[in-house]
Amino acid sequence: MIGPTLPQQAAFSSPLCGMNVKFSPFEAFRLAFPCAENFGIVGKGKLLILDVLPEGRVACAASFDEPNAVFDCAWSEVAPNLIMIALGDGNVKLIDTNLKAIVHGFKDHQGEVYSVDASHQTPNLYLSSGFDGMVKLWDVEARGLVNTFAGHVGCVYSALWHPNTKEVFGSCSADSTARIWDIRDPRREMISIKGHFGEILSMDFNKYKDLVATGSIDKSIKLWDLRNLAVPALTLNGHKYAVRRVKCSPHEENIILSGSYDMSVIVWDTAAEVQKLAVRHSQHTEFVLGIDFNLFNKRQIASTSWDGRVYVWNWDLPQPKV
């Protein structure tokens, strides 16, 4: 899906630490930027809605203040003005960016909520995961909790929907496992993936193949064929420290994006015969916590870091500077 032409580079700087960054699924120029004081350990947080302007500037279209860190966000799949946020006080909140108001709040986690994700195929359903080791399934139309998925032993850094199968989602945890679940059976996971030497901080599904990518504190990214989990289908080494975020391209089955505590963003080409590390970008000056692909522009990506900077650029060009 190729949309309107956008600036090839743009940059934004905030005094708060970047926690993640998400392109809008409706507007090619718009991003959501959850951020927090003091690395999210203590203090306030914000959700900023950022617009990339034609001349390459980034403007703040809306700002939502929270008394606690904002760790993650998830755009609604049915309304461009709705977005869910994950908070450090155990809450998740649905915000209307037009009304600049909270539509509804949900609370069942005990501790920080690290991730939220909206279902692409059942858009009233959202997932959240957190420090308490639980994954929660929420129905925003019914305004309540549908189910809790317990199984991980340790905080769950991410829970996200499968791109093609509406009942299936994945989760990854400090217990060094990634797990695949079916919402119709919350009693236990369908699949447990073990293979990293340490916590798994991030995972993503490949929408074109039966593959899952995982990133770990062991500095590696592993690709898993869900039909044969005996060994990884591929291991990608190139980061010097923990891999905090990994994303599979929505446009190309062989392109993977990763962000690391080594302050770099790497684009990988798994189809390359020799050098699978395609490009390394190293403009950030702190841990990289957020990365994303623009759904409308094939090679445009965004990244953010504890340095408070948001970069938007075409990944085959140099990373911009603030």
Side-chain angles (χ1 to χ4, degrees):
M1 180 167 52
I2 305 299
T5 301
L6 293 179
Q8 293 181 328
Q9 289 187 335
F12 175 85
S13 184
S14 165
L16 302 183
C17 298
M19 294 293 158
N20 209 344
V21 62
K22 300 279 185 71
F23 279 104
S24 167
F26 293 95
E27 296 162 304
F29 58 86
R30 178 156 287 185
L31 305 99
F33 175 48
C35 50
E37 294 179 332
N38 305 309
F39 313 107
I41 298 170
V42 64
K44 299 177 182 179
K46 282 188 178 184
L47 175 72
L48 302 181
I49 305 301
L50 305 177
D51 287 349
V52 179
L53 304 180
E55 64 271 24
R57 291 189 302 110
V58 177
C60 183
S63 176
F64 301 90
D65 295 330
E66 286 291 334
N68 294 277
V70 184
F71 286 109
D72 196 17
C73 63
W75 291 98
S76 165
E77 293 291 331
V78 292
N81 57 304
L82 296 179
I83 190 167
M84 183 83 84
I85 57 174
L87 299 171
D89 61 359
N91 280 287
V92 292
K93 295 180 180 179
L94 186 65
I95 292 174
D96 188 319
T97 61
N98 289 344
L99 299 176
K100 297 186 177 180
I102 296 169
V103 176
H104 195 70
F106 303 88
K107 175 69 184 287
D108 203 63
H109 282 286
Q110 305 300 312
E112 295 93 336
V113 184
Y114 290 135
S115 83
V116 284
D117 194 42
S119 172
H120 308 289
Q121 300 183 70
T122 314
N124 58 302
L125 297 182
Y126 286 75
L127 296 168
S128 65
S129 71
F131 180 80
D132 58 8
M134 305 295 174
V135 178
K136 306 284 183 179
L137 175 63
W138 307 94
D139 187 330
V140 296
E141 289 183 358
R143 297 197 171 192
L145 179 69
V146 177
N147 250 320
T148 297
F149 299 81
H152 285 291
V153 182
C155 65
V156 180
Y157 291 108
S158 180
L160 74 164
W161 293 99
H162 191 283
N164 303 319
T165 307
K166 66 180 182 179
E167 299 89 4
V168 173
F169 72 89
S171 60
C172 61
S173 168
D175 65 10
S176 304
T177 69
R179 305 189 186 203
I180 312 297
W181 306 78
D182 188 318
I183 62 172
R184 295 166 295 189
D185 185 5
R187 294 170 297 175
R188 60 168 297 160
E189 71 276 6
M190 296 191 298
I191 297 171
S192 182
I193 301 171
K194 301 176 182 178
H196 283 284
F197 298 101
E199 300 181 4
I200 300 179
L201 304 180
S202 182
M203 68 180 296
D204 197 20
F205 292 100
N206 186 311
K207 66 179 286 187
Y208 299 99
K209 295 182 177 180
D210 223 4
L211 295 175
V212 173
T214 54
S216 168
I217 65 169
D218 67 10
K219 303 180 284 189
S220 74
I221 298 163
K222 294 182 185 293
L223 270 65
W224 304 89
D225 187 330
L226 294 177
R227 299 163 299 180
N228 180 11
L229 294 169
V231 294
L234 182 65
T235 298
L236 301 172
N237 293 305
H239 283 297
K240 298 176 182 178
Y241 295 108
V243 179
R244 181 60 184 89
R245 199 80 63 178
V246 61
K247 297 276 286 189
C248 296
S249 170
H251 306 288
E252 301 172 274
E253 66 181 46
N254 56 301
I255 298 297
I256 292 175
L257 186 64
S258 62
S260 168
Y261 290 170
D262 66 10
M263 299 180 283
S264 75
V265 175
I266 292 180
V267 181
W268 307 85
D269 183 351
T270 61
E273 292 186 6
V274 180
Q275 178 56 275
K276 298 186 185 301
L277 195 163
V279 189
R280 185 192 300 271
H281 298 282
S282 302
Q283 286 297 327
H284 283 295
T285 58
E286 261 291 357
F287 293 175
V288 176
L289 267 69
I291 52 174
D292 201 16
F293 287 94
N294 191 329
L295 291 175
F296 298 91
N297 290 68
K298 185 176 180 179
R299 295 208 164 188
Q300 190 168 73
I301 58 175
S303 67
T304 192
S305 158
W306 275 353
D307 60 17
R309 299 170 185 170
V310 176
Y311 294 128
V312 180
W313 77 106
N314 286 18
W315 61 256
D316 53 346
L317 297 175
Q319 198 172 16
K321 297 180 181 180
V322 173

